[in-house]
Amino acid sequence: MAVYALTGFSLVSLLSFGYLSWDWMKPGLVADVATDPMEKSLPPAFARPPHIIFILTDDQGYHDVGYHGSDIQTPTLDRLAAEGVKLENYYIQPICTPSRSQLITGRYQIHTGLQHSIIRPRQPNCLPLDQVTLPQKLQEAGYSTHMVGKWHLGFYKKECLPTRRGFDTFLGSLTGNVDYYTYDNCDGPGVCGYDLHDGEDVAWDQSGKYSTFLYAQRVSKILASHSPKEPIFIYVAFQAVHTPLQSPKEYIYRYRSMGNVARRKYAAMVTCMDEAVKNITWALKKYGYYDNSVIVFSTDNGGQTFSGGSNWPLRGRKGTYWEGGVRGIGFVHSPLIKRKRRTSWALVHITDWYPTLVSLARGNLSNVPGLDGYDVWPAISEGKESPRTEILHNIDPLYNHAKYGSLEDGFGIWNTAVQASIRVGEWKLLTGDPGYSDWIPPQTLTNFPGSWWNLERLTDGLRKSVWLFNITADPYERYDLSEQRPDVVRTLLTRLVHYNRTAIPVRYPAENPRAHPDFNGGAWGPWASEDDGEEWEGIREPLKSRNKKKKCKICKLRSFFRKLNTRLMSNRI
């Protein structure tokens, strides 16, 4: 009874928030934009390998862009998307490291050993050194390659650094979470260090500069010093809009009417990032790159709803396998696109960028067998059918097993206690514990009600370990069909079994005290010698991982108040 009543309330909420269809683009945001004169005369498509700019934002929620109906101002993203191709069936991973590893390798997490959690600062772990990366393939094709922003793919020894994995230059952070001004990162009480690097050196002199602006300025400098006659690849992995919630005051002032403080600061950060993208686009035009360029925009995972983000009307949040955790904001903007100004419903996954971009660059994919990604450029540029028909969201054997899952519930072929998720065609299956399962509207009010959705969550998740949804018909994941369609459940479980047979052991080693920044001059950086072996352990006992996670939450809370006090003293809030 409670489920149906609450579902009715949610449908009313959808109507009240204006979600009558999936076409959420606000015409007012793009209708008055003048046509750029550079777009009137374009060179023949692919006369030369195109310049590639890949922009990745951090923790930006699915709802948090203007053309998805957001109250946050993103005029640059709205215009670029409207003039290009919006990807509305685009999938990413639910947390940082997995999305980045799949972008860089074109492979699912189960094929790199990174299927559990993230790479933590003190772990002797990084993207497997035997993987040929996307920038390395582009270097082979004659590209100059540059990275600006957040790495988060490991750094315990120098071979793991961006400059050793295919990038000619690098400016950014190696860990997953730093202060936007001081670039400090604490991985527990007393385990703090500076994390901003230029190449393989610590960039002490850049402290105090807001990272979003610093990274955009670096991109402009790269473009100014390079020749547009030579192909260039720039991977811009903004720190924004990950916590801590920090933004220049003038951007926060724009959202002073928002009663929810976290949402106000978050909105300011999104708009600031949007302006940085505007500056990058302007630099592409100023220095002569734009006519032969491809700009890809992607989020890395769903928004964190308790830190200002919103994935409404999708279910779930960052860190979950519900649509709110894995359906991303994505679009491609390029003068080289044959069918512009449209929305694409072609199925696309973040692993697809590897073969797609290497193919655009006229690179060679024959020596990298076993990719999980597909070349989706014909689907994006010409509107052809996507070659992708299914997505393995993940199989994580270390995540806490669901209490009520069993091999019996999985028809004797799959233990449904294991956290896993897969999409095949229009069907999506989840097993184990998919994560926090609420539908949370944008929290714009000062004291947003926090109890009405819990009833639906508790009622829906009681004694369950298997969910099945027709995502095409039910994108909000409201109608579980696992009991009505056991035939489909069994088919998708069979696919999970198939993928699991190809998985390699999980790489999730214990933390090493040698990584402490105090042993590295006060900065996070490589600490193992180049002669050390590739240290990692196989599958570990899940309870240990769970206990670490609880400790980490306490550490982050202490770190938050320390940083808050520092920021108040320096008058930056």
Side-chain angles (χ1 to χ4, degrees), residues 60 65 67 74-82 273-274 277 297 331:
Q60 183 179 0
V65 65
Y67 67 86
T74 58
T76 302
L77 300 185
D78 297 337
R79 177 187 174 181
L80 293 176
M273 177 272 296
D274 180 85
V277 174
F297 181 90
F331 65 78

Side-chain angles (χ1 to χ4, degrees), residues 247-256 264-265 268 573:
S247 172
K249 286 183 178 179
E250 58 269 28
Y251 291 90
I252 297 177
Y253 185 75
R254 298 185 191 184
Y255 297 98
R256 60 192 180 278
R264 184 191 313 158
K265 292 181 178 180
I573 288 184

